[in-house]
Amino acid sequence: MNLSFTSAKKLTINLYEAVSSNITGTVTIENRVYHAANSSLDMVIKMDQTDEEEVSFVAQEKANPNIKLPVHLLYEDDGYYVVRISDLSPNWEALAFDLYQENEEKETVNVDDVTSDSKTDSTEEIDAHALITTLYSDQRKTKSEEGKGIKTKQDYVLLVNDLEKDFVKEKMKTMKRQLR
């Protein structure tokens, strides 16, 4: 787990702020809503240049940094990921959210190369995964909504479609300005 609040330059990644990654190009939080009624946070994350590799998530709150919070992938489509982080404390303060690219192949590591005090030659298979980036959310700067935020798959499809439309509209405006 790479989550660290002390090494973070800032504890909030703003909506639509592109965070660069060596693996996927950029990662952007398109939407973020806290639901106090069920202690959960919903986020829509957009990743450019996604491969066919699986993506996994790890979340941790500042209030309880030793506990990994449950993360549920609610919807995924063409680089958009709708996730729900559950079991947040009422005063979670800040959230660190790691995104990993999961490789299907296992990587064989020579344990002797890692531990110099070993006398036997042994290898171990480990899951190969690479950190894409860590995103941070500050509770004070996160939009809150009443209710439990429970939606259907169709609601998530419409939400992602609306975000894609907004993105295309902004891109068209930018292109028009550049052509003038």
Side-chain angles (χ1 to χ4, degrees):
M1 189 150 73
N2 186 51
L3 306 171
S4 171
F5 293 100
T6 56
S7 65
K9 292 178 185 152
K10 62 181 190 174
L11 287 181
T12 295
I13 304 297
N14 296 320
L15 293 182
Y16 310 109
E17 177 182 347
V19 177
S20 61
S21 164
N22 294 335
I23 297 173
T24 64
T26 60
V27 178
T28 310
I29 300 174
E30 300 281 316
N31 195 351
R32 175 177 45 213
V33 180
Y34 175 63
H35 303 283
N38 65 347
S39 305
S40 68
L41 178 73
D42 291 354
M43 290 195 297
V44 178
I45 297 163
K46 180 182 178 196
M47 284 195 279
D48 295 338
Q49 303 174 1
T50 55
D51 293 332
E52 294 301 314
E53 305 290 342
E54 292 290 317
V55 176
S56 65
F57 312 97
V58 177
Q60 164 189 6
E61 64 182 9
K62 188 174 182 182
N64 293 304
N66 297 326
I67 298 173
K68 286 185 188 179
L69 297 170
V71 179
H72 310 282
L73 180 60
L74 302 174
Y75 179 72
E76 174 185 356
D77 180 39
D78 196 28
Y80 283 89
Y81 297 86
V82 180
V83 296
R84 171 167 291 151
I85 298 104
S86 304
D87 299 341
L88 286 161
S89 301
N91 296 313
W92 48 277
E93 299 178 51
L95 180 84
F97 188 74
D98 275 353
L99 291 85
Y100 290 96
Q101 184 173 22
E102 297 292 332
N103 300 320
E104 293 209 5
E105 303 163 4
K106 297 223 182 246
E107 187 176 325
T108 302
V109 175
N110 187 341
V111 179
D112 291 335
D113 293 343
V114 180
T115 59
S116 58
D117 61 345
S118 178
K119 300 285 184 224
T120 60
D121 187 29
S122 59
T123 59
E124 239 179 74
E125 271 195 1
I126 60 168
D127 288 327
H129 65 279
L131 177 68
I132 296 169
T133 193
T134 301
L135 304 173
Y136 295 93
S137 298
D138 185 325
Q139 184 174 12
R140 296 167 299 178
K141 297 178 181 178
T142 300
K143 181 171 97 175
S144 222
E145 281 185 2
E146 296 296 320
K148 297 186 179 194
I150 296 172
K151 297 179 179 173
T152 65
K153 183 176 178 176
Q154 183 178 0
D155 292 329
Y156 295 121
V157 169
L158 293 172
L159 173 62
V160 167
N161 283 339
D162 286 344
L163 291 169
E164 285 178 321
K165 280 190 237 174
D166 292 344
F167 174 76
V168 169
K169 284 179 186 175
E170 281 301 312
K171 195 171 185 176
M172 288 174 57
K173 284 181 188 177
T174 302
M175 292 174 81
K176 284 180 182 178
R177 281 191 293 253
Q178 290 174 348
L179 292 173
R180 289 183 189 166

